[in-house]
Amino acid sequence: MGSLAPSRSGPLFRTPRQEDRQHLAFIRTLPCVHTGRFGVEACHLRSSCLPLNKRHTGMREKPDDRFVLPMVPQLHVRQHSMNEVRFWSAMGWQWQQVVQLALDLYENTGDEETCQTLIARARR
């Protein structure tokens, strides 16, 4: 007979963090997703977005590097000082849109023109 215990795989359970230093370096060359200014940090997204297979990450755990956006330092600090989804909502963004942009940037990492276009479209 099979086990009745819930599976320990999928978007809700911790898996080894996927790091991508090249992507993080590339993100730091892009303009801020909110202000359009350069001089950004790679801002990791922690909250879950299950439709996009993004699970919540805890305080002592960093999300995969594909879930990052370029943000000026002041906004990066503010985003991590409060409820992340509320922060983005106050900025006029829907949470799934935020996570999708991070994934789109990851998919196009290294393509500066495409990524700047993605950011410009998302800021409108």
Side-chain angles (χ1 to χ4, degrees):
M1 260 193 181
S3 171
L4 297 178
S7 169
R8 290 289 184 186
S9 63
L12 297 178
F13 294 97
R14 186 175 182 166
T15 56
R17 177 172 176 256
Q18 300 296 308
E19 296 182 49
D20 189 332
R21 292 176 193 256
Q22 285 184 305
H23 179 63
L24 294 181
F26 174 69
I27 286 292
R28 292 180 187 107
T29 71
L30 296 173
C32 175
V33 295
H34 186 68
T35 67
R37 295 190 328 236
F38 287 90
V40 300
E41 299 173 345
C43 178
H44 285 84
L45 306 175
R46 294 187 173 280
S47 296
S48 67
C49 183
L50 296 182
L52 296 175
N53 291 320
K54 166 69 180 90
R55 67 176 185 80
H56 181 80
T57 49
M59 293 300 290
R60 293 191 175 138
E61 178 185 11
K62 221 174 207 179
D64 291 349
D65 287 342
R66 70 178 180 263
F67 296 111
V68 297
L69 291 174
M71 289 179 60
V72 293
Q74 302 88 336
L75 290 177
H76 187 184
V77 168
R78 188 169 1 148
Q79 183 234 356
H80 287 310
S81 72
M82 61 185 293
N83 177 286
E84 183 174 46
V85 176
R86 281 193 217 129
F87 167 84
W88 287 100
S89 180
M91 296 290 186
W93 296 62
Q94 294 179 357
W95 181 241
Q96 189 165 333
Q97 174 190 20
V98 173
V99 176
Q100 185 63 60
L101 179 58
L103 291 171
D104 291 344
L105 293 176
Y106 185 72
E107 183 177 315
N108 291 284
T109 195
D111 184 341
E112 188 174 326
E113 184 178 341
T114 296
C115 289
Q116 286 192 16
T117 299
L118 288 167
I119 291 168
R121 284 185 190 153
R123 291 184 60 231
R124 291 184 189 155

